[in-house]
Amino acid sequence: MAYDEKLADRVREALADIPDVEEKKMFRGVTFMVDDKMCVSVSGDELMLRLDPDLTEQLVEEPGTRPMVHGDKHMKGFIYISEERFRNQKDFDRWIKLALDYNPKAKSSKK
């Protein structure tokens, strides 16, 4: 599971003040669970976010983004963000905020 450890540290820092954050190895990287719900993943040098499914189509039209695909199905509410889209802190914060804003509405992964 190769992933960008510096990027994972940026995510850790962004989530440092959020209660109930857990890290799990998944999606070929590390996933940050917030309140037992998948929120942000670092896979390779990309971010993968869980966000409002109603925003997916709009956001994947932005350069440097792509939908998460499982088999041949686009997973609505999950997108990958390439490195050039979050190099500066303002852009990084925007993506993390989108994931955190949706988190309270997301279904729990806890069984």
mmCIF file of all heavy atoms in Angstrom, residues 70-98:
data_model
loop_
_atom_site.group_PDB
_atom_site.id
_atom_site.type_symbol
_atom_site.label_atom_id
_atom_site.label_comp_id
_atom_site.label_asym_id
_atom_site.label_seq_id
_atom_site.Cartn_x
_atom_site.Cartn_y
_atom_site.Cartn_z
ATOM 1 N N HIS A 70 -15.925 1.512 -9.468
ATOM 2 C CA HIS A 70 -15.832 0.157 -8.892
ATOM 3 C C HIS A 70 -16.400 -0.799 -9.932
ATOM 4 O O HIS A 70 -17.595 -0.752 -10.220
ATOM 5 C CB HIS A 70 -16.613 0.092 -7.583
ATOM 6 C CG HIS A 70 -16.510 -1.226 -6.887
ATOM 7 N ND1 HIS A 70 -15.321 -1.693 -6.371
ATOM 8 C CD2 HIS A 70 -17.439 -2.181 -6.633
ATOM 9 C CE1 HIS A 70 -15.531 -2.876 -5.823
ATOM 10 N NE2 HIS A 70 -16.807 -3.188 -5.976
ATOM 11 N N GLY A 71 -15.529 -1.610 -10.512
ATOM 12 C CA GLY A 71 -15.956 -2.438 -11.642
ATOM 13 C C GLY A 71 -16.202 -1.515 -12.812
ATOM 14 O O GLY A 71 -15.311 -0.813 -13.258
ATOM 15 N N ASP A 72 -17.438 -1.465 -13.288
ATOM 16 C CA ASP A 72 -17.786 -0.534 -14.360
ATOM 17 C C ASP A 72 -18.780 0.521 -13.883
ATOM 18 O O ASP A 72 -19.375 1.230 -14.673
ATOM 19 C CB ASP A 72 -18.349 -1.295 -15.564
ATOM 20 C CG ASP A 72 -19.597 -2.096 -15.235
ATOM 21 O OD1 ASP A 72 -19.952 -2.202 -14.044
ATOM 22 O OD2 ASP A 72 -20.224 -2.624 -16.175
ATOM 23 N N LYS A 73 -18.935 0.629 -12.572
ATOM 24 C CA LYS A 73 -19.919 1.542 -11.993
ATOM 25 C C LYS A 73 -19.234 2.757 -11.357
ATOM 26 O O LYS A 73 -18.312 2.609 -10.564
ATOM 27 C CB LYS A 73 -20.739 0.804 -10.931
ATOM 28 C CG LYS A 73 -21.823 1.632 -10.317
ATOM 29 C CD LYS A 73 -22.581 0.836 -9.269
ATOM 30 C CE LYS A 73 -23.617 1.723 -8.623
ATOM 31 N NZ LYS A 73 -24.223 1.106 -7.455
ATOM 32 N N HIS A 74 -19.713 3.961 -11.732
ATOM 33 C CA HIS A 74 -19.249 5.183 -11.084
ATOM 34 C C HIS A 74 -19.905 5.258 -9.718
ATOM 35 O O HIS A 74 -21.123 5.146 -9.600
ATOM 36 C CB HIS A 74 -19.642 6.410 -11.910
ATOM 37 C CG HIS A 74 -18.814 6.569 -13.138
ATOM 38 N ND1 HIS A 74 -18.264 7.757 -13.491
ATOM 39 C CD2 HIS A 74 -18.425 5.677 -14.082
ATOM 40 C CE1 HIS A 74 -17.576 7.609 -14.603
ATOM 41 N NE2 HIS A 74 -17.672 6.350 -14.986
ATOM 42 N N MET A 75 -19.105 5.445 -8.695
ATOM 43 C CA MET A 75 -19.595 5.517 -7.326
ATOM 44 C C MET A 75 -19.953 6.970 -7.005
ATOM 45 O O MET A 75 -19.077 7.794 -6.752
ATOM 46 C CB MET A 75 -18.543 4.992 -6.352
ATOM 47 C CG MET A 75 -18.063 3.582 -6.647
ATOM 48 S SD MET A 75 -19.385 2.370 -6.566
ATOM 49 C CE MET A 75 -19.732 2.379 -4.826
ATOM 50 N N LYS A 76 -21.234 7.258 -7.066
ATOM 51 C CA LYS A 76 -21.702 8.613 -6.809
ATOM 52 C C LYS A 76 -21.369 8.996 -5.365
ATOM 53 O O LYS A 76 -21.596 8.229 -4.445
ATOM 54 C CB LYS A 76 -23.214 8.688 -7.051
ATOM 55 C CG LYS A 76 -23.701 10.048 -7.360
ATOM 56 C CD LYS A 76 -25.127 10.021 -7.856
ATOM 57 C CE LYS A 76 -25.547 11.436 -8.191
ATOM 58 N NZ LYS A 76 -26.912 11.526 -8.604
ATOM 59 N N GLY A 77 -20.798 10.174 -5.197
ATOM 60 C CA GLY A 77 -20.429 10.639 -3.873
ATOM 61 C C GLY A 77 -18.980 10.381 -3.513
ATOM 62 O O GLY A 77 -18.550 10.732 -2.420
ATOM 63 N N PHE A 78 -18.217 9.790 -4.429
ATOM 64 C CA PHE A 78 -16.802 9.515 -4.191
ATOM 65 C C PHE A 78 -16.005 10.018 -5.390
ATOM 66 O O PHE A 78 -16.321 9.659 -6.523
ATOM 67 C CB PHE A 78 -16.549 8.013 -4.029
ATOM 68 C CG PHE A 78 -17.229 7.415 -2.837
ATOM 69 C CD1 PHE A 78 -18.532 6.942 -2.916
ATOM 70 C CD2 PHE A 78 -16.560 7.313 -1.626
ATOM 71 C CE1 PHE A 78 -19.164 6.379 -1.823
ATOM 72 C CE2 PHE A 78 -17.176 6.747 -0.520
ATOM 73 C CZ PHE A 78 -18.481 6.289 -0.613
ATOM 74 N N ILE A 79 -15.000 10.863 -5.139
ATOM 75 C CA ILE A 79 -14.172 11.345 -6.235
ATOM 76 C C ILE A 79 -12.701 11.340 -5.843
ATOM 77 O O ILE A 79 -12.357 11.428 -4.662
ATOM 78 C CB ILE A 79 -14.578 12.750 -6.733
ATOM 79 C CG1 ILE A 79 -14.373 13.819 -5.653
ATOM 80 C CG2 ILE A 79 -15.995 12.768 -7.252
ATOM 81 C CD1 ILE A 79 -14.538 15.231 -6.191
ATOM 82 N N TYR A 80 -11.854 11.220 -6.852
ATOM 83 C CA TYR A 80 -10.410 11.333 -6.692
ATOM 84 C C TYR A 80 -9.993 12.732 -7.123
ATOM 85 O O TYR A 80 -10.500 13.266 -8.113
ATOM 86 C CB TYR A 80 -9.676 10.311 -7.558
ATOM 87 C CG TYR A 80 -9.688 8.922 -6.983
ATOM 88 C CD1 TYR A 80 -10.627 7.986 -7.386
ATOM 89 C CD2 TYR A 80 -8.743 8.536 -6.039
ATOM 90 C CE1 TYR A 80 -10.638 6.704 -6.861
ATOM 91 C CE2 TYR A 80 -8.738 7.253 -5.500
ATOM 92 C CZ TYR A 80 -9.690 6.345 -5.924
ATOM 93 O OH TYR A 80 -9.686 5.084 -5.387
ATOM 94 N N ILE A 81 -9.055 13.288 -6.383
ATOM 95 C CA ILE A 81 -8.519 14.611 -6.671
ATOM 96 C C ILE A 81 -7.022 14.460 -6.895
ATOM 97 O O ILE A 81 -6.310 13.945 -6.030
ATOM 98 C CB ILE A 81 -8.728 15.588 -5.483
ATOM 99 C CG1 ILE A 81 -10.122 15.472 -4.868
ATOM 100 C CG2 ILE A 81 -8.379 17.007 -5.885
ATOM 101 C CD1 ILE A 81 -11.249 15.796 -5.773
ATOM 102 N N SER A 82 -6.544 14.904 -8.055
ATOM 103 C CA SER A 82 -5.110 14.783 -8.329
ATOM 104 C C SER A 82 -4.331 15.892 -7.633
ATOM 105 O O SER A 82 -4.866 16.948 -7.278
ATOM 106 C CB SER A 82 -4.846 14.787 -9.831
ATOM 107 O OG SER A 82 -5.239 16.013 -10.388
ATOM 108 N N GLU A 83 -3.068 15.616 -7.455
ATOM 109 C CA GLU A 83 -2.167 16.457 -6.680
ATOM 110 C C GLU A 83 -2.184 17.936 -7.081
ATOM 111 O O GLU A 83 -2.136 18.814 -6.222
ATOM 112 C CB GLU A 83 -0.768 15.866 -6.824
ATOM 113 C CG GLU A 83 0.304 16.520 -6.051
ATOM 114 C CD GLU A 83 1.627 15.795 -6.231
ATOM 115 O OE1 GLU A 83 1.823 15.098 -7.243
ATOM 116 O OE2 GLU A 83 2.461 15.945 -5.343
ATOM 117 N N GLU A 84 -2.271 18.223 -8.376
ATOM 118 C CA GLU A 84 -2.221 19.622 -8.795
ATOM 119 C C GLU A 84 -3.427 20.421 -8.320
ATOM 120 O O GLU A 84 -3.396 21.644 -8.298
ATOM 121 C CB GLU A 84 -2.058 19.756 -10.323
ATOM 122 C CG GLU A 84 -3.273 19.374 -11.128
ATOM 123 C CD GLU A 84 -3.260 17.939 -11.633
ATOM 124 O OE1 GLU A 84 -2.397 17.151 -11.219
ATOM 125 O OE2 GLU A 84 -4.143 17.603 -12.436
ATOM 126 N N ARG A 85 -4.502 19.754 -7.903
ATOM 127 C CA ARG A 85 -5.727 20.426 -7.458
ATOM 128 C C ARG A 85 -5.726 20.788 -5.979
ATOM 129 O O ARG A 85 -6.657 21.434 -5.502
ATOM 130 C CB ARG A 85 -6.953 19.561 -7.752
ATOM 131 C CG ARG A 85 -7.174 19.294 -9.201
ATOM 132 C CD ARG A 85 -7.526 20.535 -9.971
ATOM 133 N NE ARG A 85 -8.783 21.050 -9.455
ATOM 134 C CZ ARG A 85 -9.174 22.296 -9.544
ATOM 135 N NH1 ARG A 85 -8.421 23.177 -10.132
ATOM 136 N NH2 ARG A 85 -10.314 22.677 -9.061
ATOM 137 N N PHE A 86 -4.691 20.366 -5.234
ATOM 138 C CA PHE A 86 -4.667 20.712 -3.798
ATOM 139 C C PHE A 86 -3.261 21.089 -3.327
ATOM 140 O O PHE A 86 -2.958 20.990 -2.151
ATOM 141 C CB PHE A 86 -5.235 19.574 -2.940
ATOM 142 C CG PHE A 86 -4.575 18.240 -3.120
ATOM 143 C CD1 PHE A 86 -3.374 17.945 -2.499
ATOM 144 C CD2 PHE A 86 -5.158 17.274 -3.923
ATOM 145 C CE1 PHE A 86 -2.764 16.720 -2.671
ATOM 146 C CE2 PHE A 86 -4.570 16.041 -4.094
ATOM 147 C CZ PHE A 86 -3.361 15.759 -3.461
ATOM 148 N N ARG A 87 -2.453 21.566 -4.244
ATOM 149 C CA ARG A 87 -1.089 21.960 -3.844
ATOM 150 C C ARG A 87 -1.107 23.126 -2.856
ATOM 151 O O ARG A 87 -0.387 23.123 -1.879
ATOM 152 C CB ARG A 87 -0.264 22.332 -5.067
ATOM 153 C CG ARG A 87 0.264 21.120 -5.766
ATOM 154 C CD ARG A 87 1.379 21.463 -6.736
ATOM 155 N NE ARG A 87 1.772 20.251 -7.427
ATOM 156 C CZ ARG A 87 1.695 20.084 -8.737
ATOM 157 N NH1 ARG A 87 1.270 21.060 -9.502
ATOM 158 N NH2 ARG A 87 2.056 18.943 -9.282
ATOM 159 N N ASN A 88 -1.928 24.138 -3.135
ATOM 160 C CA ASN A 88 -1.952 25.258 -2.194
ATOM 161 C C ASN A 88 -2.961 24.970 -1.078
ATOM 162 O O ASN A 88 -3.891 24.181 -1.238
ATOM 163 C CB ASN A 88 -2.199 26.601 -2.894
ATOM 164 C CG ASN A 88 -3.616 26.770 -3.385
ATOM 165 O OD1 ASN A 88 -4.578 26.646 -2.630
ATOM 166 N ND2 ASN A 88 -3.771 27.078 -4.672
ATOM 167 N N GLN A 89 -2.753 25.609 0.048
ATOM 168 C CA GLN A 89 -3.545 25.316 1.243
ATOM 169 C C GLN A 89 -5.019 25.659 1.066
ATOM 170 O O GLN A 89 -5.893 24.943 1.553
ATOM 171 C CB GLN A 89 -2.964 26.061 2.455
ATOM 172 C CG GLN A 89 -3.507 25.575 3.775
ATOM 173 C CD GLN A 89 -3.179 24.113 4.059
ATOM 174 O OE1 GLN A 89 -2.067 23.654 3.782
ATOM 175 N NE2 GLN A 89 -4.135 23.368 4.583
ATOM 176 N N LYS A 90 -5.306 26.736 0.354
ATOM 177 C CA LYS A 90 -6.702 27.136 0.142
ATOM 178 C C LYS A 90 -7.477 26.034 -0.590
ATOM 179 O O LYS A 90 -8.585 25.679 -0.198
ATOM 180 C CB LYS A 90 -6.750 28.453 -0.637
ATOM 181 C CG LYS A 90 -8.153 28.964 -0.877
ATOM 182 C CD LYS A 90 -8.119 30.267 -1.665
ATOM 183 C CE LYS A 90 -9.531 30.700 -2.012
ATOM 184 N NZ LYS A 90 -9.560 31.891 -2.859
ATOM 185 N N ASP A 91 -6.896 25.498 -1.650
ATOM 186 C CA ASP A 91 -7.556 24.430 -2.399
ATOM 187 C C ASP A 91 -7.677 23.159 -1.563
ATOM 188 O O ASP A 91 -8.716 22.496 -1.568
ATOM 189 C CB ASP A 91 -6.801 24.128 -3.696
ATOM 190 C CG ASP A 91 -6.917 25.247 -4.713
ATOM 191 O OD1 ASP A 91 -7.878 26.039 -4.634
ATOM 192 O OD2 ASP A 91 -6.033 25.341 -5.585
ATOM 193 N N PHE A 92 -6.618 22.818 -0.842
ATOM 194 C CA PHE A 92 -6.643 21.639 0.028
ATOM 195 C C PHE A 92 -7.775 21.766 1.045
ATOM 196 O O PHE A 92 -8.577 20.837 1.234
ATOM 197 C CB PHE A 92 -5.285 21.488 0.724
ATOM 198 C CG PHE A 92 -5.203 20.313 1.644
ATOM 199 C CD1 PHE A 92 -4.946 19.044 1.140
ATOM 200 C CD2 PHE A 92 -5.380 20.468 3.012
ATOM 201 C CE1 PHE A 92 -4.868 17.945 1.996
ATOM 202 C CE2 PHE A 92 -5.295 19.384 3.868
ATOM 203 C CZ PHE A 92 -5.038 18.118 3.357
ATOM 204 N N ASP A 93 -7.855 22.928 1.692
ATOM 205 C CA ASP A 93 -8.895 23.157 2.700
ATOM 206 C C ASP A 93 -10.296 23.047 2.098
ATOM 207 O O ASP A 93 -11.217 22.545 2.752
ATOM 208 C CB ASP A 93 -8.716 24.522 3.365
ATOM 209 C CG ASP A 93 -7.464 24.605 4.226
ATOM 210 O OD1 ASP A 93 -6.892 23.556 4.599
ATOM 211 O OD2 ASP A 93 -7.051 25.752 4.541
ATOM 212 N N ARG A 94 -10.455 23.516 0.880
ATOM 213 C CA ARG A 94 -11.760 23.432 0.208
ATOM 214 C C ARG A 94 -12.206 21.972 0.078
ATOM 215 O O ARG A 94 -13.339 21.625 0.392
ATOM 216 C CB ARG A 94 -11.671 24.053 -1.180
ATOM 217 C CG ARG A 94 -12.921 23.825 -2.010
ATOM 218 C CD ARG A 94 -12.727 24.239 -3.461
ATOM 219 N NE ARG A 94 -13.907 23.890 -4.232
ATOM 220 C CZ ARG A 94 -13.859 23.255 -5.398
ATOM 221 N NH1 ARG A 94 -12.700 22.932 -5.934
ATOM 222 N NH2 ARG A 94 -14.970 22.963 -6.039
ATOM 223 N N TRP A 95 -11.305 21.102 -0.382
ATOM 224 C CA TRP A 95 -11.668 19.694 -0.572
ATOM 225 C C TRP A 95 -11.983 19.010 0.758
ATOM 226 O O TRP A 95 -12.955 18.268 0.871
ATOM 227 C CB TRP A 95 -10.554 18.951 -1.309
ATOM 228 C CG TRP A 95 -10.388 19.407 -2.725
ATOM 229 C CD1 TRP A 95 -9.309 20.057 -3.256
ATOM 230 C CD2 TRP A 95 -11.336 19.270 -3.792
ATOM 231 N NE1 TRP A 95 -9.530 20.320 -4.584
ATOM 232 C CE2 TRP A 95 -10.765 19.846 -4.943
ATOM 233 C CE3 TRP A 95 -12.610 18.720 -3.886
ATOM 234 C CZ2 TRP A 95 -11.422 19.883 -6.172
ATOM 235 C CZ3 TRP A 95 -13.263 18.752 -5.112
ATOM 236 C CH2 TRP A 95 -12.673 19.330 -6.230
ATOM 237 N N ILE A 96 -11.160 19.280 1.767
ATOM 238 C CA ILE A 96 -11.397 18.671 3.075
ATOM 239 C C ILE A 96 -12.731 19.151 3.639
ATOM 240 O O ILE A 96 -13.510 18.371 4.198
ATOM 241 C CB ILE A 96 -10.232 18.984 4.051
ATOM 242 C CG1 ILE A 96 -8.911 18.400 3.526
ATOM 243 C CG2 ILE A 96 -10.553 18.495 5.455
ATOM 244 C CD1 ILE A 96 -8.876 16.884 3.425
ATOM 245 N N LYS A 97 -13.030 20.428 3.462
ATOM 246 C CA LYS A 97 -14.302 20.980 3.950
ATOM 247 C C LYS A 97 -15.490 20.307 3.260
ATOM 248 O O LYS A 97 -16.497 19.993 3.919
ATOM 249 C CB LYS A 97 -14.338 22.492 3.734
ATOM 250 C CG LYS A 97 -15.619 23.142 4.267
ATOM 251 C CD LYS A 97 -15.594 24.641 4.080
ATOM 252 C CE LYS A 97 -16.816 25.372 4.576
ATOM 253 N NZ LYS A 97 -18.051 24.698 4.692
ATOM 254 N N LEU A 98 -15.401 20.072 1.966
ATOM 255 C CA LEU A 98 -16.495 19.398 1.258
ATOM 256 C C LEU A 98 -16.756 18.015 1.856
ATOM 257 O O LEU A 98 -17.909 17.615 2.038
ATOM 258 C CB LEU A 98 -16.184 19.278 -0.236
ATOM 259 C CG LEU A 98 -16.365 20.543 -1.061
ATOM 260 C CD1 LEU A 98 -15.760 20.357 -2.450
ATOM 261 C CD2 LEU A 98 -17.844 20.908 -1.169
#
